[in-house]
Amino acid sequence: GENVEQHPSTLSVQEGDSAVIKCTYSDSASNYFPWYKQELGKGPQLIIDIRSNVGEKKDQRIAVTLNKTAKHFSLHITETQPEDSAVYFCAASSPRDDKIIFGKGTRLHILP
Amino acid sequence: EAGVAQSPRYKIIEKRQSVAFWCNPISGHATLYWYQQILGQGPKLLIQFQNNGVVDDSQLPKDRFSAERLKGVDSTLKIQPAKLEDSAVYLCASSILYSQKISGNTIYFGEGSWLTVV
């Protein structure tokens, strides 16, 4: 089945700087890649997703890139703000089993 | 629009005791999921319902976990008897459709039920 690796596990960036979180996946058939943000005491919330027919997608300060050949995808947050502090999960879904498999998460700290 | 509702939010039980969690999905969502999230890890799917039928329960430890969605709306997840390793957050989620192959079929999560087994 699909396996998703996520790095780093913890990331600290200065407010205003950019943050990048990287993920790799194992199933070459995977074609849907959502990213979730989980704040303390809350459930994960979808923030952006990408399908394998595009290489990049952007929504304001958040962007996701996908490299199908290398089987990796990344989340980019620009001009980070204190409210960006949270745990971020990448995930992948393959049409083989139609399940979403999550990475282990990245705890992002925005430093004042 | 109301989100996914879960209760109780927190529960502490002794090992070998039983516990039940309740979930009310977003109105109109046919698909309901139960995930287990162990501290420091991503959510892992336990069971997925489409209306009142089970779509996938391959990761559910059926010797101790059970779940039902009798009328195709609310759902209950039960653990009996609980083990120490069941300590986790149990997340309920829902979506309009069952398949991730369909664009826009966002999964919405509840705030979770935190279980500690001592």
Side-chain angles (χ1 to χ4, degrees):
Chain A
E2 176 63 277
N3 183 50
V4 178
E5 300 283 342
Q6 182 171 349
H7 301 280
S9 57
T10 306
L11 178 62
S12 296
V13 300
Q14 226 39 61
E15 182 178 347
D17 287 351
S18 295
V20 181
I21 302 170
K22 299 181 179 181
C23 291
T24 59
Y25 60 98
S26 61
D27 186 348
S28 57
S30 288
N31 59 0
Y32 175 59
F33 307 92
W35 285 87
Y36 290 83
K37 175 183 181 182
Q38 187 172 28
E39 296 176 341
L40 193 62
K42 302 274 184 74
Q45 180 180 16
L46 180 72
I47 54 172
I48 194 167
D49 58 9
I50 190 169
R51 292 197 179 260
S52 58
N53 56 342
V54 297
E56 184 173 359
K57 185 176 178 181
K58 195 171 182 181
D59 183 3
Q60 299 182 344
R61 297 186 296 108
I62 294 173
V64 58
T65 58
L66 171 65
N67 182 327
K68 287 189 293 183
T69 304
K71 291 191 285 187
H72 67 69
F73 56 113
S74 301
L75 178 72
H76 305 253
I77 306 174
T78 58
E79 301 171 11
T80 53
Q81 300 169 3
E83 54 265 36
D84 295 330
S85 291
V87 179
Y88 291 81
F89 292 96
C90 64
S93 179
S94 167
R96 292 191 219 267
D97 56 16
D98 212 6
K99 288 182 193 175
I100 289 185
I101 304 299
F102 287 83
K104 289 190 175 182
T106 295
R107 184 171 296 278
L108 176 63
H109 299 276
I110 306 301
L111 306 172
Chain B
E1 180 183 83
V4 177
Q6 291 188 244
S7 68
R9 288 295 317 277
Y10 306 94
K11 192 76 176 178
I12 301 174
I13 62 172
E14 295 183 350
K15 58 184 178 184
R16 291 187 289 275
Q17 286 187 325
S18 64
V19 63
F21 301 114
W22 172 84
C23 172
N24 182 237
I26 294 173
S27 177
H29 281 196
T31 304
L32 185 147
Y33 314 79
W34 282 102
Y35 285 84
Q36 180 191 57
Q37 185 176 20
I38 293 172
L39 189 64
Q41 296 186 21
K44 183 184 87 171
L45 180 68
L46 292 175
I47 188 167
Q48 178 179 344
F49 292 94
Q50 175 70 7
N51 296 310
N52 61 350
V54 176
V55 173
D56 183 353
D57 64 356
S58 57
Q59 303 261 53
L60 188 74
K62 299 181 186 64
D63 58 334
R64 298 182 301 106
F65 286 65
S66 64
E68 58 184 15
R69 193 184 184 200
L70 292 175
K71 295 183 180 178
V73 181
D74 293 7
S75 177
T76 303
L77 176 71
K78 295 180 182 176
I79 307 173
Q80 181 179 16
K83 292 186 175 182
L84 296 176
E85 58 260 37
D86 297 332
S87 295
V89 179
Y90 290 87
L91 294 163
C92 180
S94 70
S95 61
I96 294 175
L97 301 169
Y98 72 92
S99 175
Q100 297 309 307
K101 300 174 189 175
I102 302 166
S103 290
N105 188 33
T106 302
I107 295 179
Y108 296 89
F109 285 85
E111 294 191 330
S113 293
W114 296 62
L115 174 65
T116 302
V117 182
V118 297

